Amino acid sequence: MDGKALAARVREEVARDVAELGSLGLATILVGDDPASDVYVRLKHKDAAEVGIRTFDKRLPADTPQDEVLALVEEANADDGIDGLLVQTPVPGHLDEFAILSAVRPEKDVDGLTPHNAGLLYLGRNGHIGATPLGVMRMLAEYRIPTAGARAVVLGRSPIVGKPMAFLLLQANATVTVCHSRTEDLMRHTLDADILVAAVGVPHLVTREMVKAHATVVDVGITRTDAGLVGDVDPSVADVAGHLTPVPGGVGPMTRAMLLHSTVRAARYRRGLLPLP
Ligand code: NAD
Protein backbone atom coordinates (compact mmCIF):
# COMPACT_ATOMS: atom_id res chain seq x y z
CA MET A 1 0.00 0.00 0.00
CA ASP A 2 1.54 3.20 -1.23
CA GLY A 3 1.31 5.71 1.61
CA LYS A 4 3.38 8.25 -0.24
CA ALA A 5 1.02 8.53 -3.20
CA LEU A 6 -2.09 8.64 -1.01
CA ALA A 7 -0.50 11.23 1.26
CA ALA A 8 0.11 13.46 -1.76
CA ARG A 9 -3.61 13.32 -2.52
CA VAL A 10 -4.53 14.10 1.09
CA ARG A 11 -2.22 17.12 0.97
CA GLU A 12 -3.95 18.35 -2.20
CA GLU A 13 -7.32 18.05 -0.46
CA VAL A 14 -5.94 19.94 2.53
CA ALA A 15 -4.50 22.69 0.33
CA ARG A 16 -7.96 23.19 -1.21
CA ASP A 17 -9.55 23.31 2.26
CA VAL A 18 -6.96 25.82 3.44
CA ALA A 19 -7.67 28.05 0.45
CA GLU A 20 -11.38 27.90 1.28
CA LEU A 21 -11.02 28.51 5.02
CA GLY A 22 -8.46 31.32 4.80
CA SER A 23 -5.65 31.68 7.27
CA LEU A 24 -4.93 28.57 9.39
CA GLY A 25 -2.33 28.05 12.10
CA LEU A 26 -0.56 25.03 13.58
CA ALA A 27 1.59 25.40 16.69
CA THR A 28 4.01 22.92 18.20
CA ILE A 29 5.48 23.07 21.68
CA LEU A 30 8.79 21.31 22.17
CA VAL A 31 10.39 21.15 25.60
CA GLY A 32 14.06 20.20 25.52
CA ASP A 33 16.32 19.31 22.63
CA ASP A 34 15.68 15.65 21.88
CA PRO A 35 17.10 15.25 18.34
CA ALA A 36 14.32 12.92 17.10
CA SER A 37 11.64 15.29 18.38
CA ASP A 38 13.43 18.18 16.71
CA VAL A 39 13.29 16.32 13.37
CA TYR A 40 9.58 15.55 13.79
CA VAL A 41 8.76 19.15 14.66
CA ARG A 42 10.70 20.48 11.69
CA LEU A 43 8.88 18.11 9.34
CA LYS A 44 5.51 19.20 10.72
CA HIS A 45 6.37 22.84 10.04
CA LYS A 46 7.64 22.10 6.55
CA ASP A 47 4.54 20.07 5.67
CA ALA A 48 2.20 22.72 7.03
CA ALA A 49 3.97 25.54 5.20
CA GLU A 50 3.68 23.62 1.93
CA VAL A 51 -0.10 23.60 2.10
CA GLY A 52 -0.34 27.20 3.24
CA ILE A 53 -0.80 26.65 6.98
CA ARG A 54 1.02 29.16 9.20
CA THR A 55 3.22 27.59 11.82
CA PHE A 56 4.34 28.55 15.29
CA ASP A 57 7.43 26.81 16.64
CA LYS A 58 7.39 27.23 20.42
CA ARG A 59 10.38 25.87 22.27
CA LEU A 60 11.39 25.77 25.91
CA PRO A 61 14.62 24.59 27.56
CA ALA A 62 14.70 21.05 28.96
CA ASP A 63 14.68 22.25 32.57
CA THR A 64 11.57 24.46 32.25
CA PRO A 65 9.32 24.01 35.30
CA GLN A 66 5.79 22.62 34.94
CA ASP A 67 4.00 25.92 35.54
CA GLU A 68 5.94 27.64 32.75
CA VAL A 69 5.11 24.87 30.28
CA LEU A 70 1.46 25.10 31.28
CA ALA A 71 1.58 28.88 30.85
CA LEU A 72 2.83 28.45 27.29
CA VAL A 73 0.04 25.95 26.56
CA GLU A 74 -2.49 28.46 27.91
CA GLU A 75 -0.99 31.22 25.77
CA ALA A 76 -1.32 29.03 22.67
CA ASN A 77 -4.85 28.02 23.69
CA ALA A 78 -5.82 31.69 23.82
CA ASP A 79 -4.10 32.67 20.56
CA ASP A 80 -6.75 33.06 17.88
CA GLY A 81 -4.21 32.54 15.10
CA ILE A 82 -3.58 28.98 16.28
CA ASP A 83 -6.06 26.33 15.16
CA GLY A 84 -4.10 23.16 15.85
CA LEU A 85 -1.81 22.79 18.86
CA LEU A 86 0.37 19.88 19.84
CA VAL A 87 2.92 19.25 22.53
CA GLN A 88 5.70 17.04 21.21
CA THR A 89 6.21 13.95 23.37
CA PRO A 90 8.03 12.66 25.27
CA VAL A 91 8.48 15.68 27.53
CA PRO A 92 11.44 15.68 29.97
CA GLY A 93 11.04 13.36 32.95
CA HIS A 94 10.48 16.01 35.64
CA LEU A 95 7.29 17.19 33.90
CA ASP A 96 3.78 15.80 34.34
CA GLU A 97 3.05 14.84 30.74
CA PHE A 98 -0.57 13.93 31.37
CA ALA A 99 -1.29 17.33 32.96
CA ILE A 100 0.41 19.16 30.10
CA LEU A 101 -1.36 17.25 27.33
CA SER A 102 -4.67 17.60 29.16
CA ALA A 103 -4.29 21.39 29.24
CA VAL A 104 -4.60 21.70 25.46
CA ARG A 105 -8.02 22.99 24.43
CA PRO A 106 -9.98 20.04 22.96
CA GLU A 107 -10.79 21.97 19.75
CA LYS A 108 -7.07 22.48 19.11
CA ASP A 109 -5.92 19.04 20.29
CA VAL A 110 -4.90 17.63 16.89
CA ASP A 111 -3.09 14.66 18.49
CA GLY A 112 -6.30 13.57 20.23
CA LEU A 113 -4.49 13.17 23.54
CA THR A 114 -6.74 15.19 25.84
CA PRO A 115 -9.10 13.18 28.02
CA HIS A 116 -11.96 14.87 26.13
CA ASN A 117 -10.94 13.60 22.69
CA ALA A 118 -9.68 10.23 23.94
CA GLY A 119 -12.98 9.82 25.80
CA LEU A 120 -14.97 10.70 22.69
CA LEU A 121 -13.15 7.99 20.76
CA TYR A 122 -13.88 5.51 23.54
CA LEU A 123 -17.56 6.44 23.32
CA GLY A 124 -17.61 6.19 19.53
CA ARG A 125 -18.32 9.91 19.03
CA ASN A 126 -15.12 10.96 17.38
CA GLY A 127 -13.49 14.34 17.82
CA HIS A 128 -9.78 14.75 17.20
CA ILE A 129 -7.92 11.47 16.71
CA GLY A 130 -4.16 11.03 16.35
CA ALA A 131 -2.79 11.31 12.83
CA THR A 132 -1.22 7.85 12.71
CA PRO A 133 -4.33 5.76 13.39
CA LEU A 134 -6.34 8.13 11.18
CA GLY A 135 -3.85 7.61 8.38
CA VAL A 136 -4.01 3.84 8.73
CA MET A 137 -7.81 3.87 8.51
CA ARG A 138 -7.65 6.09 5.45
CA MET A 139 -5.25 3.66 3.79
CA LEU A 140 -7.45 0.66 4.59
CA ALA A 141 -10.42 2.51 3.08
CA GLU A 142 -8.47 3.56 0.02
CA TYR A 143 -7.38 -0.01 -0.70
CA ARG A 144 -10.90 -1.27 0.04
CA ILE A 145 -9.73 -3.62 2.78
CA PRO A 146 -12.87 -5.06 4.37
CA THR A 147 -12.98 -4.34 8.09
CA ALA A 148 -16.50 -5.42 9.09
CA GLY A 149 -16.25 -8.89 10.55
CA ALA A 150 -12.49 -8.99 9.91
CA ARG A 151 -10.14 -10.16 12.62
CA ALA A 152 -7.80 -7.30 13.41
CA VAL A 153 -4.76 -7.64 15.63
CA VAL A 154 -2.97 -4.53 16.88
CA LEU A 155 0.53 -4.89 18.30
CA GLY A 156 1.11 -2.07 20.78
CA ARG A 157 -1.17 -0.24 23.22
CA SER A 158 0.22 3.29 23.41
CA PRO A 159 -2.21 6.23 23.71
CA ILE A 160 -0.87 7.75 20.49
CA VAL A 161 -1.02 4.67 18.22
CA GLY A 162 -2.07 1.26 19.55
CA LYS A 163 -5.14 2.19 21.60
CA PRO A 164 -6.76 4.65 19.15
CA MET A 165 -5.99 2.18 16.35
CA ALA A 166 -7.82 -0.58 18.19
CA PHE A 167 -10.83 1.65 18.88
CA LEU A 168 -11.07 2.79 15.25
CA LEU A 169 -10.93 -0.79 14.01
CA LEU A 170 -13.61 -1.71 16.52
CA GLN A 171 -15.76 1.16 15.23
CA ALA A 172 -15.22 -0.23 11.74
CA ASN A 173 -16.75 -3.48 13.01
CA ALA A 174 -13.58 -5.54 13.12
CA THR A 175 -13.06 -8.08 15.90
CA VAL A 176 -10.04 -6.59 17.59
CA THR A 177 -7.26 -8.14 19.64
CA VAL A 178 -4.63 -5.92 21.23
CA CYS A 179 -1.21 -7.44 21.93
CA HIS A 180 1.54 -5.80 23.95
CA SER A 181 4.84 -6.35 25.72
CA ARG A 182 3.32 -8.85 28.14
CA THR A 183 1.43 -10.87 25.53
CA GLU A 184 2.47 -14.51 25.53
CA ASP A 185 2.77 -16.44 22.29
CA LEU A 186 2.35 -13.47 19.96
CA MET A 187 2.20 -15.72 16.91
CA ARG A 188 -0.93 -17.42 18.15
CA HIS A 189 -2.69 -14.08 17.81
CA THR A 190 -1.02 -12.70 14.71
CA LEU A 191 -1.68 -15.84 12.67
CA ASP A 192 -5.37 -15.23 13.13
CA ALA A 193 -5.27 -11.67 11.78
CA ASP A 194 -6.94 -10.59 8.55
CA ILE A 195 -5.58 -7.14 9.39
CA LEU A 196 -2.36 -6.90 11.39
CA VAL A 197 -1.14 -3.50 12.58
CA ALA A 198 2.33 -3.47 14.11
CA ALA A 199 3.08 -0.42 16.28
CA VAL A 200 5.85 -1.61 18.57
CA GLY A 201 9.23 -0.22 17.56
CA VAL A 202 11.09 -3.55 17.44
CA PRO A 203 12.74 -3.97 14.03
CA HIS A 204 11.42 -6.93 12.02
CA LEU A 205 9.47 -8.33 14.98
CA VAL A 206 6.81 -9.67 12.62
CA THR A 207 8.17 -12.47 10.45
CA ARG A 208 6.48 -14.35 7.61
CA GLU A 209 5.69 -17.34 9.84
CA MET A 210 3.51 -15.03 11.97
CA VAL A 211 1.30 -13.83 9.12
CA LYS A 212 -1.72 -15.52 7.59
CA ALA A 213 -1.75 -15.85 3.78
CA HIS A 214 -3.28 -12.78 2.08
CA ALA A 215 -3.54 -10.80 5.32
CA THR A 216 -3.28 -7.01 5.25
CA VAL A 217 -0.20 -5.94 7.18
CA VAL A 218 0.31 -2.34 8.30
CA ASP A 219 3.77 -1.48 9.57
CA VAL A 220 3.67 1.56 11.85
CA GLY A 221 7.01 0.88 13.50
CA ILE A 222 9.97 3.10 12.78
CA THR A 223 13.42 2.45 14.15
CA ARG A 224 16.42 4.45 13.01
CA THR A 225 19.41 2.25 12.21
CA ASP A 226 22.68 2.81 10.37
CA ALA A 227 21.01 1.21 7.36
CA GLY A 228 18.14 3.74 7.50
CA LEU A 229 14.56 3.50 8.77
CA VAL A 230 13.43 0.00 9.68
CA GLY A 231 9.86 -1.14 10.38
CA ASP A 232 8.41 -3.74 12.75
CA VAL A 233 7.69 -6.05 9.83
CA ASP A 234 10.31 -8.26 8.21
CA PRO A 235 10.49 -7.73 4.43
CA SER A 236 9.87 -11.48 3.88
CA VAL A 237 6.26 -10.86 4.98
CA ALA A 238 5.70 -9.49 1.47
CA ASP A 239 5.71 -13.13 0.25
CA VAL A 240 2.60 -14.02 2.26
CA ALA A 241 0.69 -10.78 2.85
CA GLY A 242 -2.08 -9.65 0.51
CA HIS A 243 -1.33 -6.00 1.27
CA LEU A 244 1.65 -4.50 3.05
CA THR A 245 2.79 -0.97 3.84
CA PRO A 246 6.47 -0.27 3.16
CA VAL A 247 8.87 1.49 5.54
CA PRO A 248 9.64 4.16 4.53
CA GLY A 249 6.79 5.27 2.28
CA GLY A 250 3.80 3.74 4.08
CA VAL A 251 2.35 4.95 7.36
CA GLY A 252 4.95 7.70 7.83
CA PRO A 253 3.82 9.97 4.98
CA MET A 254 0.18 9.29 5.83
CA THR A 255 0.76 10.40 9.43
CA ARG A 256 2.30 13.62 8.22
CA ALA A 257 -0.56 14.32 5.82
CA MET A 258 -3.28 13.48 8.34
CA LEU A 259 -1.89 15.98 10.84
CA LEU A 260 -2.59 18.67 8.24
CA HIS A 261 -6.04 17.20 7.73
CA SER A 262 -6.63 17.41 11.48
CA THR A 263 -5.51 21.05 11.50
CA VAL A 264 -8.27 21.80 8.99
CA ARG A 265 -10.67 19.95 11.27
CA ALA A 266 -9.48 22.06 14.20
CA ALA A 267 -10.16 25.22 12.20
CA ARG A 268 -13.68 23.97 11.45
CA TYR A 269 -14.32 23.29 15.13
CA ARG A 270 -13.04 26.69 16.09
CA ARG A 271 -15.12 28.51 13.49
CA GLY A 272 -18.30 26.69 14.43
CA LEU A 273 -18.44 24.94 11.04
CA LEU A 274 -18.31 21.54 12.71
CA PRO A 275 -19.41 20.77 16.27
CA LEU A 276 -16.90 19.08 18.54
CA PRO A 277 -19.01 16.50 20.37
P1 NAD B 1 5.51 3.04 22.53
O1 NAD B 1 6.90 2.67 22.89
O2 NAD B 1 4.75 4.05 23.29
O3 NAD B 1 4.62 1.72 22.52
C1 NAD B 1 5.12 0.49 22.06
C2 NAD B 1 4.08 -0.58 22.37
O4 NAD B 1 4.59 -1.83 21.93
C3 NAD B 1 3.78 -0.72 23.85
O5 NAD B 1 2.37 -0.65 24.02
C4 NAD B 1 4.30 -2.10 24.21
O6 NAD B 1 3.44 -2.78 25.14
C5 NAD B 1 4.31 -2.81 22.89
N1 NAD B 1 5.35 -3.84 22.82
C6 NAD B 1 6.65 -3.76 23.21
N2 NAD B 1 7.28 -4.91 22.94
C7 NAD B 1 6.38 -5.74 22.37
C8 NAD B 1 6.45 -7.06 21.86
N3 NAD B 1 7.57 -7.76 21.89
N4 NAD B 1 5.32 -7.58 21.33
C9 NAD B 1 4.17 -6.89 21.28
N5 NAD B 1 4.06 -5.62 21.75
C10 NAD B 1 5.15 -5.07 22.28
O7 NAD B 1 5.58 3.44 20.99
P2 NAD B 1 4.53 4.20 20.05
O8 NAD B 1 4.63 5.66 20.25
O9 NAD B 1 3.21 3.53 20.13
O10 NAD B 1 5.18 3.85 18.64
C11 NAD B 1 5.33 2.52 18.21
C12 NAD B 1 6.22 2.49 16.99
O11 NAD B 1 5.60 3.21 15.95
C13 NAD B 1 7.59 3.16 17.17
O12 NAD B 1 8.52 2.49 16.38
C14 NAD B 1 7.37 4.56 16.64
O13 NAD B 1 8.56 5.13 16.17
C15 NAD B 1 6.44 4.26 15.51
N6 NAD B 1 5.60 5.36 15.10
C16 NAD B 1 5.53 5.60 13.79
C17 NAD B 1 4.70 6.59 13.32
C18 NAD B 1 4.61 6.79 11.86
O14 NAD B 1 4.20 7.84 11.42
N7 NAD B 1 4.96 5.81 11.04
C19 NAD B 1 3.97 7.38 14.20
C20 NAD B 1 4.05 7.10 15.56
C21 NAD B 1 4.86 6.08 16.00
Side-chain angles (χ1 to χ4, degrees):
M1 291 186 278
D2 186 349
K4 209 171 159 187
L6 180 55
R9 292 212 334 257
V10 172
R11 285 199 305 270
E12 281 169 22
E13 286 167 24
V14 169
R16 280 198 293 276
D17 289 338
V18 171
E20 186 189 308
L21 285 164
S23 169
L24 260 74
L26 173 67
T28 57
I29 294 179
L30 174 58
V31 188
D33 42 22
D34 176 63
S37 293
D38 177 61
V39 171
Y40 289 133
V41 165
R42 281 172 198 271
L43 288 175
K44 286 167 188 173
H45 287 255
K46 177 174 166 281
D47 292 343
E50 275 171 18
V51 293
I53 295 173
R54 281 185 67 196
T55 62
F56 303 82
D57 187 355
K58 297 177 182 286
R59 295 182 183 233
L60 291 169
D63 60 355
T64 307
Q66 177 85 5
D67 58 342
E68 287 179 30
V69 180
L70 287 173
L72 185 58
V73 173
E74 283 312 332
E75 190 188 298
N77 277 340
D79 186 335
D80 227 19
I82 295 173
D83 293 292
L85 168 62
L86 64 88
V87 181
Q88 190 67 36
T89 57
V91 297
H94 68 283
L95 295 170
D96 179 347
E97 185 169 290
F98 175 73
I100 291 167
L101 296 176
S102 301
V104 174
R105 272 183 60 171
E107 296 85 355
K108 298 191 177 193
D109 168 33
V110 282
D111 272 346
L113 290 172
T114 57
H116 188 89
N117 284 305
L120 286 174
L121 176 60
Y122 170 85
L123 295 170
R125 309 220 24 191
N126 301 350
H128 279 302
I129 297 169
T132 303
L134 271 187
V136 173
M137 293 310 288
R138 177 77 187 254
M139 256 199 294
L140 295 179
E142 189 69 21
Y143 281 86
R144 300 188 195 287
I145 308 297
T147 53
R151 289 171 193 251
V153 175
V154 178
L155 308 185
R157 57 175 164 185
S158 72
I160 187 87
V161 191
K163 273 188 202 156
M165 193 69 251
F167 278 106
L168 286 175
L169 287 163
L170 193 57
Q171 274 179 24
N173 298 311
T175 301
V176 182
T177 301
V178 181
C179 299
H180 47 79
S181 54
R182 304 293 290 271
T183 299
E184 289 182 11
D185 196 2
L186 202 58
M187 193 190 302
R188 198 182 126 213
H189 300 283
T190 59
L191 266 179
D192 215 22
D194 302 309
I195 300 170
L196 176 61
V197 181
V200 176
V202 174
H204 300 169
L205 172 75
V206 177
T207 56
R208 58 174 294 164
E209 298 73 34
M210 296 167 71
V211 176
K212 184 162 88 176
H214 310 299
T216 296
V217 181
V218 178
D219 191 354
V220 179
I222 294 180
T223 305
R224 276 166 215 284
T225 71
D226 293 340
L229 298 184
V230 178
D232 288 351
V233 177
D234 191 86
S236 66
V237 168
D239 300 339
V240 281
H243 289 87
L244 174 64
T245 62
V247 174
V251 177
M254 283 305 292
T255 295
R256 291 170 60 182
M258 294 312 283
L259 174 63
L260 307 174
H261 187 269
S262 293
T263 306
V264 168
R265 197 178 176 96
R268 293 206 165 109
Y269 288 143
R270 297 194 58 246
R271 291 161 204 208
L273 300 170
L274 190 68
L276 177 69

